[in-house]
Amino acid sequence: MGISNNRSFLAKIKFNGEDVIFYDKHSYGMNFSSQKNSITTPQGPAKTGDVLASFTPDIWDSPEFAYFIGHDDYSYKIQFRSGNHHAKYLGTASDSTRALRIYPDAVSATSFTLYDSNLNIITLDDITSTNKSVYLQQLQGPFIKRQLIDDQMYSYSGRRGNLVKLDIEIVERGFDGIENYGFSRSAGHFLRLDSN
């Protein structure tokens, strides 16, 4: 499975419009020390108009940017490009029972396919605007869904739940290799290293 640089892109990411954080940065998620590297969002479920669990992480903790590494089979590996887990990959267990979490390398990470709102497979070639909401499916596996944990916070995995949208804001399309890019804190976004 070869990398398709033309289909690769760098984007800001959110789940259902919310920042991505890890369990160890969530007030309730801290109770799950063995899953501290699993993905959640700052907001818990709303009850009677109030949000039960809310946490605003430091911007440098959160994986705000991700590199979508396109492959010839229309799949993507997703690598975080900011936050405490910079350069690590998004993945889940092969049986899809575990929550989305970070993996140290591309070999152990999960490949995903992207789907539009009509559940058609798409790649960067099909995304004509800067902003797009997509569904993630584990390659040859289930779609990523959201599950409620103890009425306090959300988990994201291939288990039963509600389909979740991954909101992407494309920063740069089709580039030649991630080694040429770095995050500029002064500019507040990614730049080519030769322009930092």
Side-chain angles (χ1 to χ4, degrees):
M1 168 174 65
I3 291 176
S4 171
N5 290 326
N6 291 335
R7 290 193 182 118
S8 299
F9 61 95
L10 185 70
K12 287 186 175 184
I13 58 169
K14 292 179 182 281
F15 275 118
N16 281 355
E18 294 186 45
D19 292 333
V20 174
I21 63 170
F22 297 96
Y23 278 28
D24 65 350
K25 297 298 179 185
H26 191 282
S27 56
Y28 188 73
M30 292 178 193
N31 297 320
F32 301 93
S33 59
S34 65
Q35 298 180 45
K36 65 181 182 178
N37 294 329
S38 295
I39 298 281
T40 189
T41 48
Q43 303 299 319
K47 280 198 165 180
T48 62
D50 295 324
V51 174
L52 288 177
S54 177
F55 181 76
T56 305
D58 179 46
I59 189 169
W60 306 115
D61 291 340
S62 177
E64 182 182 11
F65 290 88
Y67 178 38
F68 288 70
I69 304 166
H71 293 274
D72 296 334
D73 64 354
Y74 301 99
S75 70
Y76 285 91
K77 296 269 185 167
I78 301 174
Q79 183 188 48
F80 297 125
R81 296 306 294 175
S82 60
N84 288 342
H85 299 294
H86 175 81
K88 294 186 179 166
Y89 292 80
L90 182 65
T92 185
S94 58
D95 63 3
S96 308
T97 59
R98 293 188 187 165
L100 288 179
R101 56 175 292 134
I102 59 162
Y103 285 84
D105 54 54
V107 174
S108 54
T110 304
S111 291
F112 296 96
T113 46
L114 308 180
Y115 286 80
D116 65 14
S117 59
N118 296 317
L119 298 183
N120 297 310
I121 292 178
I122 61 171
T123 66
L124 182 62
D125 299 334
D126 305 300
I127 303 173
T128 56
S129 62
T130 302
N131 295 292
K132 182 79 173 175
S133 291
V134 299
Y135 295 111
L136 284 179
Q137 181 186 32
Q138 187 175 345
L139 187 62
Q140 299 177 353
F143 280 91
I144 299 303
K145 296 174 275 306
R146 182 170 80 173
Q147 300 83 33
L148 185 58
I149 298 176
D150 297 336
D151 223 18
Q152 298 287 319
M153 63 180 278
Y154 293 113
S155 163
Y156 298 87
S157 74
R159 292 179 303 215
R160 285 185 151 181
N162 297 321
L163 272 179
V164 64
K165 287 184 180 178
L166 178 67
D167 303 312
I168 56 177
E169 179 185 335
I170 297 172
V171 175
E172 186 153 356
R173 293 170 174 268
F175 44 91
D176 53 2
I178 197 65
E179 66 278 355
N180 295 326
Y181 292 81
F183 189 79
S184 167
R185 289 187 180 200
S186 61
H189 58 82
F190 273 85
L191 299 172
R192 289 188 66 88
L193 290 179
D194 56 13
S195 66
N196 269 340

